[in-house]
Amino acid sequence: MVLIDCFLMLLLAYGFGFLYYGLYRNLSARVHGRFGPSLAQSFFDSVKLFVKEQSTTFGWMFYAGPIIMATGAVLNVLFIPFINHGDSLQGLSSSANLIVVLYLMVLGPLGNALGVGSNGNPFGVMGITRGLTRLIALELPFYLAVIGVMIDAGSADFSAIFEAQSQEMNLLKHPLLFMAAFISFLGFMGKSPFDVVGAPQEVYSGPATEFSGKFFALLLSQSAMFSFAKLLLMVNLFLGGADDLGDLVLKTFVLFVAATFIGSVYARFSTIQSVEFLMRIPTLLGIVGLALL
Amino acid sequence: MEEGFNAYRQSLESEEQSIKSTQSVVEQAIAWFRAHSMFVLAYGTGCGAIEMPPTFTSRYDIERLGVVGVATPRQADILIVSGYCSPKTLKRVIRSYEQMSDPKYIIGLGSCTINGGMYWDSYNTIKKLDDFLPVDMYVNGCMPRPEALIEGFVKLQEKIRLNSSEAGYIKYRDNYAHYRANQERLFGAQVAPSYEENFAGMN
């Protein structure tokens, strides 16, 4: 039963991940005054890349990078419950808590660093250096907000966090903590103004520069699933989780559209600017939010 | 025998049908996905580079067709050589093409990739790109408008969907000696190392 549940969760995350990625391309095209590609375009891209030949090899560690990243994304999807009650779409969330999920969230960037480090491409290394520097600044406000949520619920278990939000969701109870987490979340999603990692005009594709064919497709697929996992985490922590599948789609969609629109209108921060900004505004919001608990 | 425009169109369609009938459903599906997802490495060698920004941005929005620009040859399916090539540039174009993974295609943009165009008399540009790299689709004009480039992409999409063995990357692999000889004649001692061993690994 758990196995079927896990399979269903992965399937949903894969489907919604690509749908949202397609929607992101479409919505940002509308913001630019274009029509944009079809909603399934990212899925077409991924299928095409899976059947494309691999042109390079840099040893086994190069291939291990995307696999470690995909492992992190899959585990995150399985450990975060989709629905806030009952037994369906819970996956392995009863055997894990928020701390495990937060730990697994940094597995991806570390796997990426290992893979990129072995190919020796200067643009890849520059991208990953930017990514890890930014990650330190991203984690601080996000963890402050998560600590606030955990103090409020008195536990790191998802069930306790849902229980604490049964009357009023954390977004309304602790708006400052939500704002701190949301600004970090923009960075985790790779949206502007924190999209310095893969900035195409500066470091080509950043960490993905040397990846082609199947492993690039794996990178795209895991990034789509991981984005959905991050949306789920935000919904569970601040929007009270989802009552059913329709609620899940609605809440993740609202959060996703907000992130996309903010990302479409801001210019890119440089690495040092994003670190400074994240260390000041959202961190301060997080500290004040914690003090007001 | 029927004559006229319709007869000509029907003869092209029957040719397409006969190629398709030899392919399995999976092959046709893969070809369809390839045709609807084209990652472009736009190599701005000449004046054609100026026609590409409007093609990719709001005015003409070629992303509607699944065409999107990428920053690295590793991920690209299509190389656009936009205009005249000096030997110095051509060396870089060849290196970029050889770094792309199969299946890959080249669009020659502008008359100067076909026969040198207005640079026919130039001492420092190549006349015919197809002597050095296999061009899959020419878009003629000096300069071709973005509409012409979009038309070129649509024609290339049809060609990719047919999954023909006439594709440029197969020609390059099969006739590497011919292309290599032309490259050596042009570059002399400064020719880049041979990539032939890469083909052996792929087959």
Side-chain angles (χ1 to χ4, degrees):
Chain A
M1 195 59 207
V2 176
L3 219 59
I4 297 171
D5 213 33
C6 289
F7 181 70
L8 206 63
M9 281 165 84
L10 287 176
L11 207 65
L12 277 176
Y14 189 80
F16 276 116
F18 272 114
L19 190 67
Y20 280 176
Y21 192 51
L23 207 61
Y24 159 70
R25 288 172 69 174
N26 221 296
L27 285 176
S28 45
R30 296 300 163 111
V31 174
H32 297 158
R34 298 187 281 125
F35 283 103
S38 79
L39 277 186
Q41 186 59 49
S42 308
F43 177 69
F44 300 164
D45 292 347
S46 122
V47 172
K48 177 210 67 181
L49 286 165
F50 268 120
V51 291
K52 216 167 145 66
E53 287 190 32
Q54 189 74 24
S55 69
T56 40
T57 173
F58 295 96
W60 65 272
M61 189 46 104
F62 178 65
Y63 299 125
I67 293 170
I68 295 172
M69 287 179 82
T71 312
V74 166
L75 286 178
N76 254 324
V77 169
L78 295 181
F79 283 146
I80 303 175
F82 280 33
I83 307 287
N84 62 13
H85 62 273
D87 294 328
S88 60
L89 295 179
Q90 298 298 311
L92 307 172
S93 62
S94 56
S95 352
N97 60 17
L98 202 49
I99 293 167
V100 178
V101 170
L102 289 180
Y103 168 74
L104 285 172
M105 277 181 84
V106 290
L107 192 64
L110 290 179
N112 206 1
L114 286 174
V116 171
S118 62
N119 72 35
N121 187 309
F123 297 115
V125 176
M126 272 161 73
I128 207 70
T129 314
R130 287 164 167 222
L132 292 178
T133 315
R134 193 199 56 174
L135 188 67
I136 296 167
L138 277 180
E139 281 178 339
L140 190 64
F142 195 74
Y143 286 179
L144 281 174
V146 168
I147 288 168
V149 170
M150 288 199 283
I151 292 173
D152 184 66
S155 166
D157 278 337
F158 279 107
S159 53
I161 293 168
F162 292 141
E163 187 63 38
Q165 297 184 81
S166 55
Q167 299 300 320
E168 195 180 21
M169 58 174 82
N170 278 339
L171 165 66
L172 303 172
K173 267 200 286 187
H174 311 297
L176 289 179
L177 289 180
F178 172 74
M179 280 161 75
F182 185 73
I183 296 172
S184 290
F185 166 74
L186 286 178
F188 277 120
M189 294 287 276
K191 298 269 186 279
S192 285
F194 309 111
D195 58 340
V196 77
V197 180
Q201 297 86 348
E202 299 168 26
V203 286
Y204 299 91
S205 310
T209 302
E210 282 293 328
F211 289 101
S212 61
K214 293 167 187 64
F215 284 88
F216 187 51
L218 188 64
L219 278 182
L220 281 187
S221 308
Q222 74 82 26
S223 126
M225 284 169 82
F226 196 32
S227 299
F228 189 68
K230 286 178 246 180
L231 281 167
L232 269 178
L233 186 64
M234 282 295 283
V235 167
N236 287 347
L237 290 182
F238 292 99
L239 303 182
D243 295 329
D244 50 44
L245 214 53
D247 201 26
L248 176 80
V249 174
L250 183 75
K251 283 178 173 169
T252 49
F253 180 75
V254 168
L255 208 57
F256 169 79
V257 169
T260 304
F261 281 162
I262 293 172
S264 299
V265 293
Y266 276 100
R268 187 183 303 137
F269 275 157
S270 72
T271 316
I272 201 73
Q273 278 173 330
S274 49
V275 169
E276 277 178 6
F277 177 82
L278 288 162
M279 289 285 197
R280 283 181 191 154
I281 315 287
T283 308
L284 199 69
L285 285 173
I287 292 171
V288 176
L290 270 184
L292 290 178
L293 272 179
Chain B
M1 201 178 131
E2 204 184 337
E3 287 178 356
F5 177 76
N6 280 338
Y8 175 61
R9 201 194 64 196
Q10 276 163 13
S11 76
L12 287 182
E13 280 172 359
S14 66
E15 191 184 345
E16 188 180 321
Q17 284 305 323
S18 69
I19 294 176
K20 274 196 172 166
S21 62
T22 60
Q23 295 173 358
S24 70
V25 180
V26 178
E27 277 174 339
Q28 282 184 30
I30 289 174
W32 189 90
F33 278 113
R34 278 182 183 149
H36 285 80
S37 161
M38 301 197 271
F39 287 7
V40 174
L41 181 70
Y43 204 116
T45 60
C47 6
I50 206 69
E51 298 295 335
M52 282 192 279
T55 315
F56 284 92
T57 49
S58 311
R59 188 80 174 92
Y60 292 95
D61 186 25
I62 202 170
E63 202 182 357
R64 285 172 297 148
L65 305 177
V67 178
V68 65
V70 287
T72 148
R74 300 280 187 219
Q75 295 153 12
D77 305 308
I78 292 163
L79 175 69
I80 301 184
V81 182
S82 60
Y84 66 86
C85 266
S86 67
K88 192 174 176 179
T89 317
L90 184 66
K91 245 185 262 175
R92 276 76 181 170
V93 175
I94 292 170
R95 288 294 290 265
S96 300
Y97 179 71
E98 285 173 345
Q99 284 180 53
M100 288 162 64
S101 28
D102 290 353
K104 52 189 174 184
Y105 306 89
I106 295 186
I107 293 183
L109 183 64
S111 299
C112 17
T113 54
I114 302 173
N115 57 12
M118 65 179 279
Y119 295 95
W120 172 256
D121 287 330
S122 167
Y123 67 97
N124 197 26
T125 57
I126 57 156
K127 312 290 177 241
K128 191 178 166 193
L129 183 61
D130 200 43
D131 283 341
F132 306 96
L133 285 173
V135 181
D136 289 278
M137 188 60 61
Y138 283 114
V139 179
N140 74 337
C142 181
M143 279 313 298
R145 298 275 302 143
E147 292 96 328
L149 182 54
I150 292 173
E151 181 70 17
F153 269 113
V154 172
K155 291 278 176 214
L156 185 62
Q157 254 182 343
E158 285 168 15
K159 197 173 168 183
I160 295 173
R161 241 195 341 251
L162 282 182
N163 209 0
S164 151
S165 56
E166 295 288 297
Y169 68 99
I170 299 174
K171 248 170 36 187
Y172 192 65
R173 198 188 292 179
D174 293 346
N175 306 305
Y176 184 66
H178 161 76
Y179 290 106
R180 179 75 185 169
N182 286 342
Q183 291 166 12
E184 277 171 1
R185 199 176 316 131
L186 181 69
F187 300 133
Q190 292 175 323
V191 70
S194 167
Y195 277 76
E196 204 168 8
E197 60 271 21
N198 286 10
F199 303 148
M202 280 177 192
N203 284 328

